[in-house]
Amino acid sequence: QYRLVESGGGLVQPGGSLRLSCAASGFTLDYYAIGWFRQAPGKEREGVSCIGSSGDDINYADSVKGRFTIYRDNAKKMAYLQMNSLNPENTGVYYCAAALVACSGVQIYHFGTWGLGTQVTDSW
């Protein structure tokens, strides 16, 4: 059974940092691009970042460039999203998802396996 499990969410303060983790099980992560998505209350799910299967194809939403870093460890079947300089617009539920396509030009409908999400909440 293909499964992704996110962790690392929590309460953050202005300018704070969090590292989100995405653990894969039931499939070989090496072949999949991993995307991170955020969904705020009442809003559509939006892409935050994507990393290709070998780690050398990466993109970020403009709003997080320079503050967030995506990376992966295929041997551990893990992917991560390091989030720095957090602000209120970064709160919401964060999901990781897997897709059998490259990150360049990827669309949300390419992601067929999703985790249940981890909540990032502000303390403002």
Side-chain angles (χ1 to χ4, degrees), residues 3-7 21-25 36 78-79 96 114-118:
R3 190 176 182 210
L4 294 171
V5 179
E6 303 90 341
S7 61
S21 299
C22 174
S25 62
W36 282 97
M78 297 289 296
C96 66
W114 291 81
L116 297 179
T118 185

Side-chain angles (χ1 to χ4, degrees), residues 11 14 22-23 29 37 44 49 58-59 79 82 86 88 105 111 113 116-117:
L11 191 69
C22 174
L29 191 64
F37 297 81
E44 291 188 355
S49 184
I58 292 175
N59 59 40
Q82 177 67 44
L86 288 164
F111 291 89
T113 300
L116 297 179

Side-chain angles (χ1 to χ4, degrees), residues 9-90:
L11 191 69
V12 294
Q13 295 182 344
S17 298
L18 281 178
R19 188 183 77 159
L20 305 183
S21 299
C22 174
S25 62
F27 65 105
T28 302
L29 191 64
D30 304 39
Y31 304 131
Y32 290 80
I34 295 294
W36 282 97
F37 297 81
R38 182 184 72 94
Q39 188 163 22
K43 300 286 185 65
E44 291 188 355
R45 197 169 298 185
E46 60 181 14
V48 174
S49 184
C50 181
I51 184 168
S53 58
S54 60
D56 57 356
D57 175 23
I58 292 175
N59 59 40
Y60 298 97
D62 288 342
S63 61
V64 306
K65 285 180 181 177
R67 299 187 297 120
F68 288 16
T69 302
I70 190 172
Y71 58 103
R72 64 192 292 161
D73 186 335
N74 286 345
K76 295 182 178 179
K77 303 181 79 171
M78 297 289 296
Y80 305 92
L81 184 68
Q82 177 67 44
M83 307 189 296
N84 298 329
S85 302
L86 288 164
N87 60 54
E89 287 69 41
N90 301 133

